[in-house]
Amino acid sequence: MIDHDVLVIGAGLAGMRAALAASESGVDVAVISKVHPVRSHSNAAQGGINAALTDRGDPWEDHAFDTIKGSDYLADQNAVEVMCSEAGREVIAMEHMGVIFSRDDEGRLGTRAFGGQRQARTFFVADFTGQALLHVLYEQVLKVGVRTYEEWFVLSLIVEEGQCRGAIVMEIRTGDIHVIRAKAVILATGGLGRVFEPSTNALICTGDGMALAYREGVSLMDMEMVQYHPTTLKSNGALMSEGARGEGAYLINSDGERFMERYAPNMMELASRDVVSRSEQTEILEGRGVDGCVFLDCRHLGEKVINEKLSQISDLARDFANVDMSKQPVPIRPGMHYQMGGIKTDVDGCTSMRGLYAAGETACVSVHGGNRLGANSLLDTLVFGRRSGEHAANFARGVVERALNDGLIDRENRGIQAMMDRAGEGELFGSIRLDMGRTMNERLAVFRDDEGMRDAVSKLTELRNRFDSVAVTDKGKTFNTNLLFTLELGFMLDCAEAIALSGLERKESRGAHFRTDMPERDDKNWLKHILVSRGADGPIIENTPVIITQWEPQERKY
Amino acid sequence: MKYAFYPGCVSRGAAPELYDATVEVCSRLGIELEYDSMSGASCTGAGILQEKNLKLGDTLNARTFALAEKTGLPLMTICSTCQGVMSQANDRLKSDPEYLAEINKSLADEGLEYKGTADPRHLLWVLIEDVGIEKVKSLVVKPMTGFKAAPFYGCYIVRPSSALGFEENPDRQDSLEQVIEAVGAEVVDFPGKTLCCGFPIVMINEKNAVKMVANHTTDAKDLGADAMVTPCPLCHLNLDGYQPQAASMAKRPIDLPILHLPQMLGLAMGINPKDMRLNGHMVSTKKMLTKVAVSP
Amino acid sequence: MEVTLSVKRFDPDSDQHSSYNQDYVVEMEESATVLDGLIKVREEVDGTLALRCSCRSAICGSCAMRVNGQARLACNTKLVDIVDSGKVVVEPAGNMEVVKDLVVDFSPFWDKVRDVKPWLDPEGPDPDPDQEYLASNEAMLDLAGVMACIMCGACVSDCTVLEVDPNFLGPAALAKAYRFVADPRDSDDEPRLSDLNEYGGMWDCTRCMQCVEVCPKGVDPMGRIMSLRDKAMATGYTSTYGARHSMAFTNGVRQEGRVDELSLPVLSKGVFNIVEQIKMIPLGIRAQLAGKRPPILPHKNPGQENVRRIFNRLDKHDNSPDRLEIPTAIIGLASPVVLTFVAIIAFLILQFYWNSESVSGLKPDAYQSGSVEPFTRFSYFHNCFWFYCDPETSGSELVVNSNAEAER
Ligand SMILES: Cc1cc2nc3c(=O)[nH]c(=O)nc-3n(C[C@H](O)[C@H](O)[C@H](O)COP(=O)(O)OP(=O)(O)OC[C@H]3O[C@@H](n4cnc5c(N)ncnc54)[C@H](O)[C@@H]3O)c2cc1C
Ligand code: SF4
Ligand code: SF4
Ligand code: FES
């Protein structure tokens, strides 16, 4: 058995930031990740990270207001205040650790404009901000000597008497199963994009953390809030960063018209994402698209801007859409991108279970509410990663180690063996995943309605039955990815269920949750979060009010 | 066909046989070489000088290009390393007019200016692109039938591909194989043919350099090669000169002659091996010569 | 489009521990990548195929493998661009041990990255939490070029030196090291450069360009290694074989317009590095016998004064045109044979005067590094000689040393 004070599950930005903070508090910390830390999905973040630097004439309250308005007033305002007021120092701390932010002429940090915000307050590193942050955090984790378990996969949490005591894990390289005992556990496993097909998310974004918590009866919140990003490539769902629009790119329809004029005359292309995605989808549905797409037009930006600031997305356009961005507009469409909801936590990362914390995309503090602003997610991971690391370290100091049940490994082994032993001729996991992804992308996308969501729920039940007989074809122990994908599919089905149930529950339109059968926002009845958890007899759905501090809900116009 | 000839340092230093063979072969191919106007051209820097001072390297090469421009003739090299270093320099100079202007300032002292029209090409490419492979074939009087030759390019004539005009001239990528086949020999394809011979570090980490020699020569030998052919005199120096060490490292005899590209051509064209100093190699070429049925 | 993916497979759990090629025929769209093909195989044809992949957009660095013999990211390699008569050959990345199928063991890769102390070590007291370090955007852009590295290992897979010497730090780790040496915020340059000067470090690269060619992110690892060398020499680390070789080479071009093959080895090894000089004798003799005799007398190119003028103008290490100059050819003249004779006598005299400890610095494989460290008497003598016979380079070296002294 392996022992640590704090066990961080996930080595993305949230996880490594948490580990660093916990380690600085002087406890023994370990990070476990199913891929090498620098392969985590955080590196895909291209655009940047938001922070209002008050001493440079951008009060953090403005950032908070933009965030809350962006969330369609579903965000908890106390949490948004924490995030926005701590943002500046968080970004500067990253700079001190070594991040190479783009600079202005005076050698200070430079910013770019991002959607849904009235100020250019997005700090960036060319168009690989996430990668730059992630690699630097990994460097820092090496520097302080935090133990990292790379390519270890968490199978389940250890919960005894309502308190989280560690995790059961599999070493992917050998297939061996281990118990890691810990006084506090932080889930930082990132998003669940692969529940949808297509998605901008990496193949590893399978919602493991949300499902792990859900299975133990921990509450998930705002799960119906799924963000569709306005600019994704058709061929493979890859994301064209909002940074492009931040630099001044246009959205045009098949007539060459900048159609955002009609939907958001002030903010135009930089309105919040739910608004832009809906506008695009409307254009496409009304026949002003081409081949299911509208266009991102960067031609007027010139080669210099494209090469220096948007090099990565111009590579993507060239490689996957066969388009030279400086000469042609790129066909794009809305695509599933981000899960606003997740494991419900407070501002210190505490979940509804003692000893269990969550941070990053897998958590829902709720700072994003019904719609996340671009470049707020990286900020969320860092601020709440750090806070949960600090809190977990303190908590761990007060926990007395105790002996765990024997037989934990056996239990897990039996479960896996059962999957391996199923007759080889059953269905492959791939087709189930595809059916799930397509169902979700059809029924829980930009436009939703009651009938569609009901259909999704029943389809998911059917898929779960099929899953129960799925065959693991690779019977080996070493690096058995086939087994991993099957386990991940199990996690994803749980997440899909939580999303569909929460969506059915919310009987209004708010943020990313737009119901064609109920197109109005209804503050009187629905200014509240939906919680879902799994009880002994199936899912339990509850509500909790939104926390309002200084900003009363208003009509939302861009 | 006349070319401004840039022989490089090594063919006038430690590999004089390359120079002699080139002169012989070119006269048969109907290639005229302009020496005098190019005799003041300096070393390309071989990538070593560039280590310390890229701009200095680019200036020296721009000077060579300017000298060639003055002759009004196309520029020809016979060394993979020279070729690569020149191509890279030319790529930088041509793609950035401001940089070129800056560099030209240093050339102005001796009344030179590089206008950006030079296109340095190795004899190997000239064979394919100007002479034509059919013409080469037609000049073969002693077809090397049954002779197995392993091509060895040398790094700089294959990388970085972006600077070497492979897109416009795809033939360049297998030019050596084409020439080997044109003289009637058989190509021995082996994994090391585009890898490094180790020469650049032979003074720095001899063990690694010799190990590379051992790997390449034994691989080719095991695949039945009678000789290795290279358009790069530096590769020749290492693969030939350090082969005895390589043999003792590999604990086996190797004895694989390393031919310069024009030497192989010359043999097929019936040029006397002595005139191409085939007796001037470290690894004896005697046995190999009997195989191509010319007396050593 | 129908494509045959010929995948090199290896299953450590099976009885026969050898690899084999397996062909999969898949129907793919025109825009599909190699990775799309492999995923299709793994999801629909053969679930046992193991590979790493995640982002599908060339940013996570998981999917480097050899495609048609060259290291690439499977996710940004389009099938149409590389199919050769309907077939694509996929193998695991090179220079790393295969774990299973296309999955290789990256632990040595990460160990080497860790070896270069890959974290910022800023100077002075803790910075103000509300103020960033000031730095020019230009410096940051140069660094961003290295930070673009996704640690995919494609360069390591195809590096020719790693193929013969697993001890070499390799392109990715060295590029990472450069990122800190070049970071204006980092204060640790000298120790970093000193470490990188050692065996397996910056001087072991052959400049073969494989890493430049295969890097999917334009990091130019070799260029970074060359910059490290330049920085090391400029900082005063001039007595490694590599630095001497580089300086002697450049000096040769400066003096004669071309390489002097006789003096170069002598100067690279160090004129008084007797053991190495002796080791060169057999080669020298063989070369003589084979008739490989580079011209012994100085062979200056015509019009060489023009080349010198360019050097004087541009060579930052050399701007005093009227210094003492002894043609390198004279050193070359003292070909190894003559030199050894002299050296043996010198050696005997030295033995007599100096204790054996100072001579131990001459161990054949010793990488002499750190001329900024106190000289042993012997190396001091050697440096003086170097100074005498090669005013340009060693002159700057001595100056650098005294500067370094003055700065302390
Ligand atoms: C294409 C794209 C672009 C984006 N651009 C931006 C942007 O510009 N600005 C912005 O603010 N946000 C952006 N986002 C969102 C943002 O990148 C993510 O929300 C954020 O990085 C999530 O970080 P994380 O630390 O929570 O999780 P991740 O970085 O996803 O890390 C999850 C970690 O958990 C580990 N893990 C998961 N499951 C297991 C398991 N079972 N066992 C062990 N380990 C496990 C993984 O290995 C990984 O290390 C973007 C997202 C995408 C998809
Ligand atoms: S240039 Fe150097 S580091 Fe790059 S592949 Fe070649 S030997 Fe390796
Ligand atoms: S330098 Fe290039 S090839 Fe090497 S690891 Fe980095 S991105 Fe990959
Ligand atoms: S899958 Fe991430 S780099 Fe290829």
Side-chain angles (χ1 to χ4, degrees), chain C residues 155 158-161 168 170-171 205-211 222 225:
Chain C
C155 54
D158 285 14
C159 171
T160 45
V161 170
F168 179 43
C205 158
T206 66
R207 296 192 314 271
C208 74
M209 298 241 181
Q210 283 278 23
C211 53
M222 185 190 99
I225 297 172

